[in-house]
Structure formats: C-alpha cells, structure tokens
Amino acid sequence: MLKVEDVHVYYGAIHAIKGISLEVPQGQIVTLIGANGAGKTSALNTICGLIKPKSGRIFFEGKDITGVPTQEIVKLGLTQVPEGRRIFANMPIYENLELGAFLNKNKKEVAQDMEKVYTRFPRLRERKNQLAGSLSGGEQQMLAMGRALMSKPRLLLLDEPSMGLSPILVKEIFSIIKELNEQGTTILLVEQNAKMSLSIAHKGYVVETGRIVLAGDAKELLESPEVKKAYLGG
Amino acid sequence: MEVFLQQLINGISLGSIYALIALGYTMVYGIVQLINFAHGDVYMVGAYLGFFATAILGWSFLPALLMSMVVCAILGMVIEKLAYTPLRNAPRIAALITAIGVSLFLEYGMMLLVSPQVRTFPQVLTEVQYKFFGVVITNRQVIILVVTVALMLLLQYIVHKTMIGKAMRAVSHDKQAAQLMGINVNNTISATFAIGSALAAAAGVLVGIYYNAINPLMGIMPGLKAFVAAVLGGIGIIPGAMTGGFLLGIVEAMVSGYGKSLYRDPVAFVILIIILIVKPTGLFGKNVREKV
Ligand SMILES: Nc1ncnc2c1ncn2[C@@H]1O[C@H](COP(=O)(O)OP(=O)(O)OP(=O)(O)O)[C@@H](O)[C@H]1O
Ligand SMILES: [Mg+2]
C-alpha cells in the first residue's frame, strides 16, 4: 500500500535520513522504532509531503506521491497524527474534528463520522464544546486521533501516540490502534515504546541515525537479541 | 458635556475607519506574523477606486463600495503572491522591508497614475444633520457606523462559522497541523489578505464620503494609527483590533475636541509606547504565549 524507496532528507546541511526504504502492506500495522533523533518523525513528515526529500520515491497505492502537496496526499486517504498531538488548542473539540473533515464537503457524512468518533472516544463527546487546550494529555491524544479519523484515512501514520501518557492510557491507546486496524485501517506506527508497538504490529523496522538497521516480522524482532539489548532493556 | 458627546460621536466615526484598517493588519499578522506596512496604501487605493466609481462613472455609494472592496481584495492577493510568498521562509526583516517597498510602490505608483493633487469626492450622499440635545450627528456618520458594524458582523461570521474561517484560525495556530487536515495553506493565506484588503478598501471609500478629500499619501498616517490600534487591542486578535480602533478614534477626537488638536497624532504614538511598556500583548492579549 505504501512503498518508500531510498529516501534521503536534509535539513540544510544536516543529513537526517540517509536512504530509507520501507513497505507497508494493506491491512497491516507496521512499526518504526528507534531512539531520539533517529529520524522517525522526519520519515513520517516526508511521507506526508510536509518535507520534500532530496532523492528517493514514495508510492501510495501505486501512485507516486513524492513532492505532492500534503493536502493532496490527505485527499488520497493518507494522514498523520503528528508527534505532540498538535491539536488546535484555542478551538473547541468539535471544531478540531470538523477541521479533520476539511476536505469532506458532505455535511451529513461529516456529522455521521463525528458521531462515530464520539462513540469511539466517549470522553470527547462529554467535552465537545470545551477548548481542546483544556484536555488532559490522554484526551488530547484521543482528539488528535479522532481528528485524523475524520478524513477517513486508509493509511494512518501515528507518531509516538504513547508519548507522555500513563501506563494505563498507553494500553488504552494501543488497544484503540489495534481496533482501528482490525476495522480496516492500515497503520504505520512510530514509537519509542518498542515492546508495546512490536506486540501489536505485524512488521517492524528499527531506525538508527537516519538508516534502517533491522527489519522483519514483529514477533521475531521482539525476540531478537539486538532489539532486546537496545530497546527492551536487555 | 456637549463637547464630550459630540466628540464621542466624531470619535466613533474616526474609530470605525481605524478599526476597519486595523483588522487587516491583525489578521495578516495572525496568519503570517508579518506587519504588512503596505496595508495603509491598500486603503488609499480603495479610496481612489471609490472616487473613480462615484466621480467618473457616476455610481452610487453601495456599488462603489462593493467594487472597491472586490478590486482591493484582488490587489491584496496579488501583493501577497508577488511580494510576500517568495519570502515565506526568509528572515522576518526581509519581509518587513519588502512591505515598506510595496508601500512606497503603491504610493508613488498612484501619484504617477493620478498625479499628487488632492481629489474631492463628489457629494454621493447629501449631508443631513440630526440634532439631539445640542449634539450633531450627520447621516454620513450613521452610514460609516452601520457599514462598519455590518462588516464586522460579517467578518465574525466568516471567521467563526465558515470552513474558510476555521481554516484561517487553524493555519494561524499551526501551519503543519493545518496541512495535515487537508487545508491548502497558501490559499488560506491568500483569503486572509483578500478579506483584510477588502476591509481597508471599505474604510477608504467611507473616508472619501466623510472627509471628501483624498490624495496618494493619505494612507500613511491612518495606516500607522490603525497599526497602533491593532497593537493596542493585541496584534493577531480580531476583537482587539475592533476595540483598539474605536478606542483610538475616540481618544483622538477627545484630544482635538478639548482644543489640543496639535497633540492628536502624538497622543496615538504615546499610547503605543505606553502599551509596549505596560502590556506588550495588548488589551486582549494573553500574557503567556500559547505553546504549540
Ligand atoms: N526542522 C529541523 N531542522 C534541523 N534539523 C532537524 C529538524 N528536524 C529534525 N532535525 C534533525 O534531524 C534528525 C532526526 O530528527 P527526527 O525528529 O526525525 O527524529 P525522531 O526519530 O523523530 O526523534 P524523537 O524520537 O526525539 O521524536 C535529528 O538529528 C534532528 O536534530
Ligand atoms: Mg519524532
């Protein structure tokens, strides 16, 4: 469904991504794990068109989306829940969700989709008129995910959804991700929580300083000595 | 008391003009963090378009107002595309200097086109005076206020109820997150320039019918004053610009009304300096910047 071929990304003189290739098959959860500064966010932002790669190609459902503006990529059914949630803090929850459906001109369908998001995240319904900035970290993550779902993505990129959340909330978020996948959304999940993400993923990639150093079946990665040593605390 | 009421009324008329111009400053600042110093000159162009429509084409007030607003909306978008878009990621000082360049271009371009001579607006609206308790209100003042309030209500509706308004707020909050919603950031910024410029054009036409005289440098002072009004209310905050505009207009009218008209302009800038010292975020500004 998504194919990234030998992508290089620079920030000025900094060579942040040094030739990443990866594949996300339809219907799967694929996870990208790695330490701080490895280049995970840069990879997702490049896929979404927020950053233009210096070289390399990105294909979504067979279509070359390299250099295509982000709003066009979102239209194709690929969106991202960015690192740090990036919700519109000074707007109420329902407006955040409306903005998620910006490209959908069918008001009735938007209302139905919003209903679905509220059903999935009941806490958002209770607070729908509240400013998004007043939500707790976990609620903000749910809002960020709900907002992304409003565009009906077929492929959803998630950047560290568990960041800063309590263990209970991390569990909840991961079970929602799994559920979304079971209901048909393909997922590319970036995480530092290697154990959790490998346990729900089908496939995994390990990124270090802009390169993929390990790739394979999630279960196998979970057992591999390198991953155990570097990311699972021995 | 009579002087006070009379100056209050005059101040509201003047303040309407400042408020309409200040809205454009504040909206553009809110979305691209640029002080668009050419904005006062868009107001001047708006006044000339109103003059052209009424004096040369013989149109009445409303069609002249609408035409001027539409043409200036396009002018605003063209200025943004040609002058500011290429500098979106350049240091802010580059965009600021470019804005000053655009301002001079509009002022002296207009001079070349129509000559520096002062033009007198035709009497599109015959003046009618109403007297209450020794205070005079003219029909022009009523029209200025009605048009201003109507435009402000329309703006509030656009910003809060329409998708383009929501997109404008999203882009001003976080451009990348807005893009991930499928919002076209460039188009949204263009729309913001269009709306701000249309409001300035309306102010230009209203000034034409109120004070009658227009000239190619007429935008400089009101442009600066409107900037002060925007900062007074809190730059980037729409209700702040409205309030700041009215407040400044009223203060200036009071200063002139009590015989100190020489101090009118300095007062505006003293206010600016005081705000910058006491509350740099303006009347409506939050003291802590929101984290993004
Ligand atoms: N806007 C930027 N300008 C310059 N350098 C950047 C920028 N964004 C990221 N980098 C650099 O690129 C490298 C990869 O950063 P990136 O944010 O992609 O890492 P990450 O894997 O997402 O890290 P984290 O787990 O901390 O989120 C880092 O060395 C970072 O300093
Ligand atoms: Mg990151």
Side-chain angles (χ1 to χ4, degrees):
Chain A
M1 182 175 223
L2 178 77
K3 201 165 172 204
V4 175
E5 286 179 2
D6 195 27
V7 161
H8 287 257
V9 172
Y10 288 79
Y11 294 106
I14 303 168
H15 196 175
I17 293 195
K18 303 161 187 158
I20 280 188
S21 300
L22 57 83
E23 237 175 287
V24 182
Q26 173 128 24
Q28 292 202 354
I29 300 180
V30 174
T31 186
L32 206 59
I33 56 178
N36 287 111
K40 306 180 297 294
T41 300
S42 306
L44 290 196
N45 285 346
T46 310
I47 293 169
C48 285
L50 290 171
I51 306 173
K52 305 275 170 271
K54 186 129 193 176
S55 63
R57 297 263 139 232
I58 301 162
F59 298 91
F60 178 59
E61 295 183 322
K63 192 173 182 290
D64 188 343
I65 56 165
T66 327
V68 171
T70 303
Q71 69 268 14
E72 301 296 326
I73 293 178
V74 174
K75 208 177 280 176
L76 294 174
L78 193 173
T79 194
Q80 189 198 163
V81 180
E83 184 176 349
R85 303 39 146 153
R86 309 276 284 267
I87 51 157
F88 302 111
N90 52 357
M91 293 192 212
I93 285 154
Y94 77 87
E95 279 189 346
N96 272 268
L97 295 179
E98 279 174 2
L99 281 165
F102 186 78
L103 295 170
N104 190 346
K105 302 291 169 234
N106 183 343
K107 288 267 178 292
K108 227 174 99 190
E109 204 178 276
V110 173
Q112 285 168 359
D113 292 343
M114 202 179 291
E115 199 45 45
K116 280 187 209 154
V117 169
Y118 286 145
T119 310
R120 196 183 295 279
F121 305 106
R123 268 180 283 179
L124 296 184
R125 188 201 302 275
E126 289 162 29
R127 292 165 172 70
K128 64 181 173 191
N129 295 315
Q130 228 168 286
L131 289 187
S134 70
L135 295 176
S136 72
E139 288 161 355
Q140 292 194 4
Q141 184 60 47
M142 291 176 192
L143 177 59
M145 288 169 68
R147 186 180 67 173
L149 291 176
M150 291 297 291
S151 71
K152 297 175 178 293
R154 287 194 301 282
L155 173 60
L156 185 62
L157 314 186
L158 292 154
D159 196 348
E160 300 202 33
S162 75
M163 190 167 67
L165 301 185
S166 70
I168 291 213
L169 272 172
V170 172
K171 262 203 170 131
E172 192 175 337
I173 294 286
F174 273 95
S175 78
I176 290 166
I177 295 170
K178 207 163 168 212
E179 196 180 294
L180 283 174
N181 176 247
E182 281 158 7
Q183 290 164 1
T185 313
T186 308
I187 285 170
L188 176 56
L189 172 64
V190 157
E191 262 301 338
Q192 290 203 39
N193 189 335
K195 194 171 171 193
M196 282 296 267
S197 57
L198 284 173
S199 70
I200 64 163
H202 301 90
K203 255 173 62 172
Y205 292 90
V206 180
V207 198
E208 260 171 38
T209 56
R211 284 197 183 86
I212 287 180
V213 291
L214 260 181
D217 187 82
K219 301 285 157 311
E220 283 164 22
L221 284 179
L222 209 46
E223 297 304 322
S224 89
E226 296 101 311
V227 172
K228 271 193 169 157
K229 186 154 166 283
Y231 301 99
L232 306 174
Chain B
M1 193 58 194
E2 269 169 29
V3 178
F4 177 80
L5 282 180
Q6 185 64 59
Q7 289 315 109
L8 187 64
I9 286 163
N10 296 345
I12 288 173
S13 306
L14 182 62
S16 301
I17 306 296
Y18 290 158
L20 286 175
I21 309 175
L23 282 168
Y25 268 115
T26 233
M27 290 171 72
V28 164
Y29 184 85
I31 206 154
V32 284
Q33 282 75 50
L34 165 74
I35 306 290
N36 177 14
F37 275 116
H39 190 59
D41 303 296
V42 172
Y43 149 88
M44 174 275 293
V45 173
Y48 270 91
L49 287 165
F51 172 79
F52 176 73
T54 51
I56 309 216
L57 303 178
W59 293 7
S60 58
F61 168 66
L62 218 51
L65 178 75
L66 290 178
M67 181 277 284
S68 171
M69 288 176 72
V70 170
V71 175
C72 281
I74 296 167
L75 173 67
M77 291 192 283
V78 170
I79 291 173
E80 194 268 329
K81 274 281 158 301
L82 296 182
Y84 304 142
T85 306
L87 297 173
R88 186 88 43 82
N89 300 315
R92 232 189 269 182
I93 189 78
L96 202 66
I97 290 168
T98 305
I100 295 170
V102 173
S103 167
L104 292 171
F105 174 80
L106 289 177
E107 286 161 14
Y108 294 94
M110 189 56 106
M111 236 180 234
L112 202 67
L113 204 64
V114 301
S115 90
Q117 139 200 22
V118 173
R119 306 278 173 163
T120 314
F121 248 66
Q123 298 279 336
V124 257
L125 302 156
T126 352
E127 187 168 274
V128 185
Q129 298 193 339
Y130 313 99
K131 286 202 173 73
F132 303 92
F133 312 109
V135 177
V136 181
I137 302 182
T138 71
N139 58 333
R140 292 180 190 162
Q141 290 177 319
V142 174
I143 285 175
I144 288 183
L145 188 62
V146 169
V147 171
T148 302
V149 170
L151 288 175
M152 285 178 175
L153 290 176
L154 179 65
L155 178 67
Q156 286 296 14
Y157 175 78
I158 293 175
V159 169
H160 289 281
K161 299 285 178 218
T162 67
M163 272 333 266
I164 182 71
K166 289 174 199 219
M168 281 161 52
R169 283 185 288 145
V171 171
S172 65
H173 188 80
D174 184 339
K175 288 190 183 49
Q176 283 202 341
Q179 278 176 280
L180 290 173
M181 304 298 107
I183 294 170
N184 185 324
V185 169
N186 287 333
N187 290 356
T188 309
I189 293 174
S190 283
T192 308
F193 272 85
I195 294 172
S197 303
L199 293 174
V205 177
L206 291 174
V207 150
I209 65 158
Y210 189 47
Y211 293 112
N212 290 323
I214 62 172
N215 73 75
L217 300 182
M218 67 182 274
I220 299 174
M221 213 31 155
L224 286 174
K225 300 275 186 66
F227 171 62
V228 171
V231 174
L232 173 59
I235 191 115
I237 305 166
I238 289 179
M242 296 179 181
T243 316
F246 281 116
L247 266 180
L248 190 64
I250 292 167
V251 168
E252 283 198 3
M254 292 297 167
V255 172
S256 328
Y258 289 99
K260 300 277 187 289
S261 33
L262 266 182
Y263 293 107
R264 211 183 73 166
D265 293 344
V267 161
F269 298 106
V270 167
I271 290 179
L272 176 65
I273 293 167
I274 293 174
I275 301 163
L276 290 178
I277 294 170
V278 178
K279 195 161 186 290
T281 48
L283 295 176
F284 285 60
K286 293 192 199 84
N287 271 321
V288 229
R289 247 191 72 84
E290 267 175 78
K291 269 191 274 174
V292 272

